Amino acid sequence: MRDLTRVSNSHSDSKVIDACSLFGMMDTSGGRFSGADLITAIGSMHDRGNGLGGGFAAYGIYPYFAEEYAFHIMFLSQQAKTETECFLESFFNLKYKEEVPTRDQQGITNPPIVWRYFASVSPEKCGKFIEEDYVVDRVMYINTCIDDAFVFSSGKNMGVFKGVGYPEDIGRFFRLEEYEGYLWTTHGRFPTNTKGWWGGAHPFCLLDWTVVHNGEISSYGINKRFLEQYGYKCTMETDTEVVAYAVDLLMRKHGLSIELAAKVMSAPLWNQIARLPEHERKIMTTLRQIYGGLLLNGPFTVIVAHTGEMIGMTDRIRLRPMVVGEYQSKLFISSEESAIRLVQPELDKVWLPVGGVPVVGSLKNPIKAQKEATAC
């Protein structure tokens, strides 16, 4: 049986709490491009990681299965694979399955078995569930009830690729230069309080929501308990997982805008709320009262992505770096400006966003329409 927690003896895991690298690139016109530039960009921030986690999320990469859910699943044993496939065939209409293509790559040792499954859901199978809740429920079941199986990507026309290693090596291992998508995010991990293992690498994914994160969420315990009230099960053994589930709850299930979701996770201080105009004060007070358990304490920068949209956000006092760049229809979000310049030397604009205020790139709206509140 393969061991997901095993890593090379050459890696060290000293506690350095200001590392981790992240990078996002989106063509808001919908133009598709390969993962090659992402591998280059994240590789330039090699020293921010320690080889204990790297990964990528890509959108628009499965046009021939655009209407099916693409499940990327890690297995530790053939028995787990057999049991999971029986489960998928029982609860979904399975259209196609295959092993995710990989190549031997120096620095990547002892990988798990990784397969992808394209499946749809018929209304009679959903029963009382709406379709997306049905998929979430089945993903949670696999991750908590089937030993040695782990669903790490579950959206439509998108996929997550991640593991233990430096991100540039993970990208080459999964042959990401062969894929094309209109939105990519990537992350190099430096675990601080949790172990480095294949499932614990970033991005974290639920349906088509993905999150990469640099920082340390000290409120993980209360965030986890709050989310468990709504049926989410935290199984990935790292603090960032709660951000992915919080975004799914706030924006998909409860219908909050990204601006309001940002005010929940990176909330103003109470003395700041008290000075707001009455209408805004009532809104902010209500959000704090209802969603107090989703306030993220500690330093963080996150890139959240889902179909058609990429969102960058920091904690309210910017304890972790984030720089934003634009070139024509492309939006870049990065830990370091140098990584952006490496793949796009000439930029129309580059700026540092305001803490706690989201930067949004969307297929539906030009970047400039989203930018006024964030420019410094």
Side-chain angles (χ1 to χ4, degrees):
M1 182 184 300
R2 304 185 186 199
D3 181 3
L4 284 166
T5 64
R6 178 183 170 189
V7 295
S8 168
N9 291 332
S10 65
H11 297 315
S12 62
D13 192 16
S14 301
K15 184 176 176 64
V16 177
I17 63 173
D18 58 351
C20 288
S21 54
L22 48 78
F23 187 89
M25 180 175 173
M26 179 183 186
D27 189 331
T28 59
S29 72
R32 296 164 68 221
F33 51 94
S34 82
D37 280 350
L38 276 288
I39 294 172
T40 298
I42 201 69
S44 72
M45 296 183 280
H46 179 91
D47 289 345
R48 298 180 70 93
N50 63 354
L52 292 179
F56 299 74
Y59 291 78
I61 59 171
Y62 294 135
Y64 296 110
F65 294 99
E67 299 305 315
E68 279 73 45
Y69 292 94
F71 297 111
H72 290 192
I73 309 180
M74 301 177 183
F75 301 109
L76 297 182
S77 66
Q78 286 294 337
Q79 180 180 347
K81 180 174 178 291
T82 300
E83 185 177 350
T84 302
E85 289 182 350
C86 288
F87 180 86
L88 292 174
E89 288 170 355
S90 297
F91 292 97
F92 296 90
N93 302 318
L94 197 57
K95 301 293 182 66
Y96 184 73
K97 63 180 182 179
E98 67 177 357
E99 188 169 10
V100 175
T102 60
R103 66 163 63 94
D104 290 339
Q105 176 64 39
Q106 185 177 3
I108 306 301
T109 59
N110 197 40
I113 304 164
V114 184
W115 277 61
R116 57 189 172 202
Y117 302 83
F118 298 93
S120 61
V121 182
S122 56
E124 58 270 19
K125 289 183 182 291
C126 288
K128 64 180 181 180
F129 289 99
I130 65 171
E131 183 177 299
E132 290 179 324
D133 287 344
Y134 177 88
V135 174
V136 169
D137 182 76
R138 298 309 182 258
V139 168
M140 294 292 171
Y141 179 89
I142 294 172
N143 288 350
T144 57
C145 298
I146 299 181
D147 292 338
D148 298 338
F150 178 68
V151 182
F152 64 99
S153 186
S154 53
K156 291 182 178 181
N157 199 14
M158 57 80 61
V160 167
F161 306 84
K162 66 180 185 176
V164 172
Y166 284 100
E168 61 269 32
D169 294 332
I170 292 292
R172 297 184 189 105
F173 173 74
F174 281 114
R175 298 162 55 172
L176 297 186
E177 73 282 355
E178 299 174 9
Y179 295 77
E180 289 190 340
Y182 63 86
L183 191 169
W184 291 76
T185 66
T186 180
H187 184 271
R189 189 176 182 215
F190 201 126
T192 52
N193 293 324
T194 54
K195 65 185 179 182
W197 67 292
W198 279 74
H202 302 208
F204 294 105
C205 177
L206 187 66
L207 297 173
D208 68 336
W209 298 98
T210 59
V211 172
V212 294
H213 163 232
N214 172 19
E216 185 173 5
I217 298 174
S218 58
S219 57
Y220 170 78
I222 191 170
N223 300 151
K224 175 176 178 287
R225 289 191 294 273
F226 185 93
L227 290 163
E228 286 173 344
Q229 297 178 81
Y230 293 90
Y232 297 95
K233 296 178 175 64
C234 298
T235 60
M236 290 182 270
E237 303 176 44
T238 184
D239 55 356
T240 310
E241 179 183 21
V242 298
V243 183
Y245 297 164
V247 169
D248 180 71
L249 176 67
L250 294 170
M251 295 183 65
R252 181 183 68 84
K253 297 198 69 169
H254 291 182
L256 270 65
S257 67
I258 178 55
E259 290 78 15
L260 290 180
K263 295 300 183 184
V264 169
M265 294 183 286
S266 185
L269 298 172
W270 281 114
N271 61 2
Q272 294 174 315
I273 292 174
R275 295 194 296 268
L276 293 173
E278 182 179 0
H279 177 66
E280 292 181 46
R281 184 170 68 250
K282 288 181 177 179
I283 293 174
M284 292 299 103
T285 300
T286 301
L287 290 176
R288 286 296 298 268
Q289 290 172 338
I290 295 175
Y291 298 113
L294 290 183
L295 171 66
L296 303 181
N297 284 329
F300 68 86
T301 291
V302 296
I303 301 176
V304 177
H306 66 116
T307 299
E309 200 164 58
M310 181 171 71
I311 304 156
M313 186 177 69
T314 70
D315 61 82
R316 59 178 172 256
I317 54 176
R318 287 187 50 89
L319 290 171
R320 289 295 179 269
M322 186 175 85
V323 61
V324 180
E326 287 181 38
Y327 178 73
Q328 297 180 358
S329 62
K330 289 184 178 178
L331 175 68
F332 303 86
I333 302 174
S334 179
S335 296
E336 299 179 10
E337 183 179 344
S338 59
I340 301 175
R341 297 282 186 183
L342 186 62
V343 298
Q344 183 56 62
E346 298 298 324
L347 293 169
D348 296 328
K349 184 162 185 177
V350 60
W351 79 96
L352 301 178
V354 174
V357 178
V359 174
V360 183
S362 173
L363 293 180
K364 297 178 181 179
N365 299 298
I367 302 167
K368 291 181 180 179
Q370 306 286 344
K371 192 177 57 185
E372 290 183 6
T374 64
C376 301

